[in-house]
Amino acid sequence: MITTSIFPTRYVQGAGAIAMLPEEARRLGDTALAVVDPRVLPAAAAVAQKGAIVIALEAFGGECSDEEIERISARARALDANVIVGIGGGKALDTAKAVAHALGLPVAIVPTLASTDAPCSALSVIYTAEGAFKRYLVLPRNPDLVLVDSQIVADAPVRFLVSGMGDALSTWFEAEDCKISGAANMTGRPGGMTAFGLARLCYDTLLADGVAARKACEARKVTPELERVIEANTLLSGLGFESGGLSGAHAIHNGLTVLEPTHAFWHGEKVAIGTLSLLMLTKRPAALVAEVFGFCEAVGLPTTLADIGLADATDEQLRQVAAMACAPGETIHNIKGDVTPEQVFAAIKAADAEGQRRRHRHAAE
């Protein structure tokens, strides 16, 4: 069997690291167009004036859609840019990666949140202009640079860090599903032992440091625990999902996006519900299920459908979610055996019931 693992070319992390962006990006070219989340435009503008490389700024429109990719590609062509930079959250970064691919240019990724595992991957998740999942765009190479300023992450609302923990929480379980079934990762081949080892390290890091990292972020302090969770959310989860493989948690996330109330919630928050549902679907040991529910409760991740806006979701709506999660080509089919929409529906219901049961028990204590 041939196994394959893939990685970004260069990963830089630490408090104040954004000041190194011009120096690091200059290794890739001399004229850059940066796709920037509007909330960090002032910080990006200050860095862009450092002088080691010309960096023009373009405000991100909000969705990683085909329309936004084409709009920004046109701006890059007009600028004659030879480097694309993405600065912001997951969708802005995915857009930058897709633009760089369309133009055949290197890309530098600067996540300002540790909210998803998107930064390191050779993957962009494409949505409709309205925010519903559309498709995965698998790219031929990983980012040339990923640069994470831990202080910027610490200064962001804690919800983003927690959402990133929700995304990272799925990594080990989905990679384990792929290992058991022999399913392919994003390269089309199974992952190697490195990928599965990193996926497990991701999970262990979250359990060991997640609560302390949340407290550090609430205090806007960069601590060793926060650094480790940022790395778990960004690098370990990125390497684990991409080289280990995906299964049901992300497929259920994609199904949840068909219900409009979920659009107000972050990717990792919905993935957390997907992970809890996956545990039920694959009949993980009761002690492990309890451990994961306990972690979610401790750091503030959703544990019920109500937590992602679906308190009033009907069975018919949840069956729509399950059907989309089981669509042909979806990653849920990386689970060993045949997975049906009815099984997924039942798993979502079971996870929600367990979350409600635990909440009622805690309230009574």
Side-chain angles (χ1 to χ4, degrees):
M1 179 186 295
I2 296 175
T3 63
T4 305
S5 300
I6 48 179
F7 306 88
T9 303
R10 192 174 180 96
Y11 183 86
V12 179
Q13 178 183 313
I18 196 167
M20 300 175 66
L21 176 60
E23 171 192 340
E24 291 285 341
R26 186 65 182 84
R27 298 170 50 252
L28 307 175
D30 56 19
T31 304
L33 176 66
V35 183
V36 186
D37 269 336
R39 71 178 187 86
V40 294
L41 271 171
V47 172
Q49 296 169 4
K50 296 290 184 181
I53 181 174
V54 175
I55 304 178
L57 307 181
E58 181 66 28
F60 174 55
E63 286 296 342
C64 182
S65 63
D66 289 313
E67 295 84 353
E68 182 71 353
I69 292 164
E70 178 50 41
R71 182 184 74 83
I72 296 173
S73 295
R75 173 79 199 282
R77 291 188 196 98
L79 183 66
D80 200 22
N82 53 24
V83 182
I84 302 298
V85 178
I87 305 176
K91 289 186 177 183
L93 305 182
D94 276 5
T95 302
K97 287 188 283 185
V99 169
H101 169 62
L103 301 178
L105 297 177
V107 63
I109 295 298
V110 185
T112 54
L113 307 168
S115 60
T116 74
D117 54 18
C120 294
S121 71
L123 180 73
S124 290
V125 184
I126 310 300
Y127 295 83
T128 66
E130 295 73 34
F133 172 77
K134 189 173 182 180
R135 71 181 188 279
Y136 290 119
L137 175 62
V138 180
L139 305 170
R141 71 184 195 192
N142 294 71
D144 301 273
L145 168 67
V146 178
L147 186 149
V148 188
D149 190 318
S150 305
Q151 188 61 60
I152 291 177
V153 172
D155 288 339
V158 71
R159 181 182 174 188
F160 294 109
L161 180 76
V162 172
S163 177
M165 287 192 261
D167 198 17
L169 182 63
S170 69
T171 306
W172 176 48
F173 300 112
E174 294 194 288
E176 188 178 52
D177 286 342
C178 292
K179 184 178 181 181
I180 291 168
S181 67
N185 61 21
M186 294 299 175
T187 71
R189 306 186 189 105
M193 66 175 186
T194 300
F196 301 116
L198 293 173
R200 178 66 205 217
L201 177 60
C202 181
Y203 179 74
D204 291 343
T205 301
L206 293 178
L207 262 62
D209 295 318
V211 172
R214 178 189 171 116
K215 291 178 180 177
C217 191
E218 288 172 336
R220 299 190 174 186
K221 301 293 185 184
V222 177
T223 64
E225 293 85 359
L226 180 59
E227 289 280 21
R228 287 193 290 270
V229 167
I230 291 171
E231 186 173 342
N233 285 7
T234 308
L235 182 62
L236 291 177
S237 182
L239 298 176
F241 100 77
E242 192 173 26
S243 292
L246 295 173
S247 70
H250 277 80
I252 292 169
H253 161 276
N254 295 342
L256 288 167
T257 67
V258 304
L259 303 183
E260 193 277 334
T262 69
H263 295 178
F265 296 86
W266 298 111
H267 173 83
E269 293 169 335
K270 288 174 279 193
V271 171
I273 293 296
T275 299
L276 297 173
S277 301
L278 175 64
L279 298 180
M280 300 300 187
L281 177 66
T282 53
K283 298 180 173 58
R284 252 66 174 206
L288 181 59
V289 172
E291 180 176 73
V292 177
F293 268 97
F295 171 78
C296 290
E297 292 161 353
V299 299
L301 282 167
T303 58
T304 70
L305 291 173
D307 294 337
I308 56 168
L310 299 181
D312 300 320
T314 65
D315 284 356
E316 180 182 358
Q317 289 174 316
L318 294 179
R319 283 191 164 93
Q320 291 175 353
V321 170
M324 184 169 177
C326 294
E330 256 297 356
T331 56
I332 204 164
H333 301 297
N334 288 340
I335 297 170
K336 187 175 182 179
D338 296 327
V339 178
T340 68
E342 194 62 25
Q343 289 172 329
V344 175
F345 166 74
I348 294 170
K349 295 280 284 187
D352 180 56
E354 177 63 8
Q356 292 188 50
R357 184 193 70 79
R358 290 175 62 94
R359 187 161 296 171
H360 292 152
R361 187 193 73 192
H362 294 325
E365 290 176 349

